[in-house]
Amino acid sequence: MSGREEGLAPLLEVSNLRVAFGGKEVVHGVSFAIAPGEKLALVGESGSGKTVTALSLLRLAQGARLGGSARLLGSDPAAGRRDLLAMSERELLGVRGREIAMIFQEPMTALNPVYTVGDQIAEVLRLKQGLSARQAWDGAVEALAATGVPEPQRRARAFPHQLSGGQRQRAMIAMALACRPRLLLADEPTTALDVTLRQQILELLAQLQRQTGMAVLMITHDLNLVRKFADRVAVMENGHLVEHGAVQAVFGQPRHPYTRKLIDSRPERELQEGPPEGEPVMRAREVRVSYPVPLAGIRGWFRRGEFVAVHGAAFAIPPGRTLGVVGESGSGKSTLALAALGLVPHRGTLEVAGGHWQRGTAASRPLRRQIQVVFQDPFSSLSPRMTVEEIVGEGLLVHEPGLDLAQRRERVVRALGDVGLTEQLFPGLLARYPHEFSGGQRQRLAIARALIVEPRLLVLDEPTSALDVTIQKQVLRLLQRLQRERGLSYLLITHDIEVIHAMAHDVVVMKEGRIVEAGTAQQVLGQPQDPYTQALIAAAV
């Protein structure tokens, strides 16, 4: 692959890169180049090898055996190129952070929880540029300010858990860019962010890239992000580079079947339309959720304050319909879902299948069978110590304790078959553990676990945000089919406007704990009235 401009010497030339773990090769002879100031997107699903490729450039893939070359043009072009894969560890220390920096996918795990973000950025400046402690601290504050973090002096003294998701990501970017590297490796830098925050981070990276002239290698499976950000795109499948070129050319006329598959993986709307029929499965009137918070000063000695997470929410979900709840982090949508599940105290009226949540487990047990939940991350929501049979059949032990082992197993097999998991496809299925399945398959397990007690309503909390685009489409199709066949109702919590468009009959938009707009999906998405809704939809386009 050539540089962005004709005759421009590439900043980095990767030639025949091979990566193997334990004798198994996972990246097969990948070659590409990045010119100074260029933005290249490396695209593919989980397991395609894109992250391993990026980590290998800085030799951060532990236990990997590397082959090929990755030649970096030095700050002084006359000094020639150096092969990153042939450097000693001491030589690499001079490259990492100073010439090539990396933004990792999840800032909450990449940042050290016991140090302030200012200390972590300052440490980079001390180690890489030899600054004094005072100079490094001032540089850290300046770096935070450059990434748009409000009140950088105060935020520099905050620990990672005290920042929002967007602020943590900005702190990661500030740390990566503190030494003004010439190449930035950005591994899914916006995956966990809301659409408006995603847009802000993209604009920030583009602005900093223009100011510093650095090149960017973006690792992502988000095709909308690639369209907005990158100059060129390289597509990876099963460790092979299958297509590359200018973004407009590749997206406009994809040549490889896998590229066409990725581009065609946008969620499709396949719902039963028409007016709702029957009494609502869930009805909310003036639902209010609040939490106690400490008051500053002497007042905090005698009483506590209150933070209202949900203000007077009202909605209804008819049988066989989906209500989409959309909003940014902190908007109150997840708190509303917890209230719907009877997991947090609330005021107002919240009816589930004609009943009300009551204090005490036994009193609310009949309602628990009517409403089940599918969480965002299937890996963390499934016990790693339980087999598939134990996980899926657990609800039957609570709600149908009279079933014997054979009856329970029959129901488990039927529920797994409903979500496309069978013994023919997965020999020994019932005795397997969650780690033996892919992300999409684990989410199918989570859906089967929810369906086995035959609920009337599923709460779907970001059910596809952790999945690749092709797997996301498969899971959404599954949910659509189950809704048509069983008449299920869904309360769908998401920040993904495309998922809302594909799944929701009705939509409510939340901001700062309040519903600012509500209506049918066609009304809210097609003709948004509130400026906040308009901003959300514009950021998703």
Side-chain angles (χ1 to χ4, degrees):
M1 298 169 68
S2 61
R4 182 178 53 177
E5 298 177 17
E6 194 69 31
L8 186 62
L11 173 64
L12 177 70
E13 282 186 326
V14 178
S15 179
N16 196 33
L17 175 66
R18 296 181 178 275
V19 184
F21 293 93
K24 181 180 179 181
E25 193 169 86
V26 296
V27 175
H28 313 283
V30 167
S31 300
F32 60 88
I34 308 173
E38 183 176 36
K39 294 173 288 186
L40 171 65
L42 200 56
V43 175
E45 297 176 283
S46 296
S48 63
K50 58 187 188 297
T51 296
V52 170
T53 296
L55 291 173
S56 298
L57 299 179
L58 290 174
R59 305 238 295 275
L60 295 176
Q62 292 187 354
R65 191 180 77 252
L66 306 178
S69 65
R71 297 186 300 148
L72 179 70
L73 186 66
S75 303
D76 180 10
R81 297 181 178 276
R82 298 165 294 164
D83 186 358
L84 297 171
L85 307 187
M87 285 184 179
S88 67
E89 185 64 23
R90 185 179 183 85
E91 289 174 315
L92 269 177
L93 287 176
V95 173
R96 294 174 184 153
R98 183 179 297 169
E99 296 190 60
I100 304 177
M102 188 159 189
I103 301 172
F104 295 96
Q105 181 170 354
E106 178 46 66
M108 194 61 184
T109 55
L111 293 170
N112 192 320
V114 300
Y115 290 97
T116 67
V117 294
D119 284 335
Q120 294 181 63
I121 299 171
E123 181 183 25
V124 174
L125 293 170
R126 290 198 308 272
L127 292 176
K128 300 297 180 182
Q129 295 189 346
L131 301 184
S132 67
R134 183 64 201 176
Q135 289 172 326
W137 179 263
D138 291 341
V141 173
E142 184 180 332
L144 286 172
T147 58
V149 174
E151 302 179 88
Q153 279 278 7
R154 184 168 71 87
R155 299 296 185 188
R157 301 186 185 280
F159 292 91
H161 73 273
Q162 295 175 307
L163 302 179
S164 69
Q167 290 169 347
R168 282 195 294 269
Q169 195 64 287
R170 287 171 186 268
M172 279 286 296
I173 293 171
M175 187 183 305
L177 302 185
C179 297
R180 294 187 170 270
R182 293 184 299 134
L183 174 61
L184 177 67
L185 309 179
D187 185 10
E188 301 279 11
T190 63
T191 296
L193 303 180
D194 299 320
V195 285
T196 50
L197 285 177
R198 193 177 302 175
Q199 182 70 18
Q200 292 172 18
I201 295 299
L202 277 186
E203 291 172 353
L204 170 65
L205 282 174
Q207 174 190 342
L208 294 173
Q209 187 263 343
R210 288 192 299 268
Q211 290 175 353
T212 62
M214 68 180 176
V216 180
L217 177 62
M218 177 83 74
I219 297 94
T220 185
H221 65 257
D222 188 333
L223 301 185
N224 277 337
L225 183 151
V226 174
R227 288 187 180 96
K228 293 178 181 180
F229 182 80
D231 302 315
R232 289 189 300 121
V233 59
V235 183
M236 289 191 70
E237 180 190 24
N238 296 328
H240 295 275
L241 194 63
V242 297
E243 188 164 356
H244 63 264
V247 168
Q248 290 183 339
V250 172
F251 280 43
Q253 293 182 314
R255 298 188 302 274
H256 195 274
Y258 180 71
T259 309
R260 290 196 292 270
K261 177 185 173 184
L262 287 179
I263 294 172
D264 292 339
S265 293
R266 299 184 69 173
E268 296 177 355
R269 186 177 180 88
E270 298 179 1
L271 304 179
Q272 287 184 338
E273 307 289 356
E277 299 178 0
E279 284 295 308
V281 178
M282 173 170 282
R283 191 194 306 271
R285 300 189 190 92
E286 295 299 318
V287 172
R288 185 178 190 272
V289 181
S290 61
Y291 301 100
V293 294
L295 293 174
I298 196 171
R299 291 185 303 164
W301 296 3
F302 304 101
R303 61 188 179 91
R304 306 195 78 181
E306 181 185 55
F307 169 72
V308 181
V310 176
H311 301 257
F315 60 85
I317 309 177
R321 305 274 289 195
T322 299
L323 175 67
V325 183
V326 64
E328 297 174 287
S329 296
S331 63
K333 60 184 188 297
S334 292
T335 302
L336 183 62
L338 291 174
L341 290 162
L343 297 179
V344 294
H346 64 272
R347 296 180 185 175
T349 303
L350 218 168
E351 298 178 13
V352 182
H356 299 267
W357 293 115
Q358 301 178 43
R359 291 182 180 272
T361 304
S364 293
R365 184 170 293 173
L367 288 190
R368 298 247 173 248
R369 181 166 188 165
Q370 302 297 326
I371 179 170
Q372 293 288 303
V373 62
V374 177
F375 293 102
Q376 177 175 356
D377 184 358
F379 193 70
S380 61
S381 66
L382 302 177
S383 172
R385 298 185 177 185
M386 295 173 69
T387 64
V388 166
E389 183 174 11
E390 292 168 338
I391 289 169
V392 177
E394 187 176 20
L396 295 177
L397 295 175
V398 176
H399 295 290
E400 296 189 40
L403 296 178
D404 60 29
L405 178 62
Q407 292 171 320
R408 194 161 57 245
R409 177 167 293 176
E410 180 185 353
R411 291 276 294 275
V412 169
V413 171
R414 191 190 316 156
L416 289 169
D418 287 343
V419 299
L421 299 176
T422 64
E423 186 74 22
Q424 288 74 25
L425 293 174
F426 302 94
L429 172 63
L430 298 183
R432 291 193 180 199
Y433 291 87
H435 73 270
E436 299 178 74
F437 297 88
S438 69
Q441 291 161 357
R442 284 195 291 264
Q443 197 62 296
R444 289 173 183 265
L445 288 175
I447 295 170
R449 176 179 64 177
L451 292 178
I452 197 166
V453 296
E454 299 177 349
R456 297 178 62 190
L457 173 66
L458 287 188
V459 175
L460 307 172
D461 185 9
E462 301 279 9
T464 60
S465 66
L467 305 177
D468 294 320
V469 285
T470 54
I471 306 302
Q472 178 189 76
K473 186 174 182 178
Q474 294 172 20
V475 171
L476 292 180
R477 276 184 171 171
L478 169 64
L479 290 169
Q480 290 167 343
R481 175 176 64 80
L482 292 170
Q483 184 173 62
R484 290 193 301 269
E485 293 175 355
R486 299 188 176 206
L488 285 168
S489 300
Y490 297 144
L491 177 61
L492 172 63
I493 312 297
T494 185
H495 63 255
D496 191 325
I497 299 299
E498 285 194 344
V499 172
I500 287 287
H501 183 270
M503 291 291 297
H505 295 88
D506 304 289
V507 179
V508 297
V509 182
M510 295 193 70
K511 180 185 180 184
E512 297 176 355
R514 301 182 188 276
I515 293 178
V516 298
E517 189 161 355
T520 67
Q522 289 81 359
Q523 291 170 344
V524 174
L525 300 182
Q527 296 179 317
Q529 302 300 308
D530 191 88
Y532 178 70
T533 311
Q534 294 169 357
L536 284 179
I537 294 173
V541 175

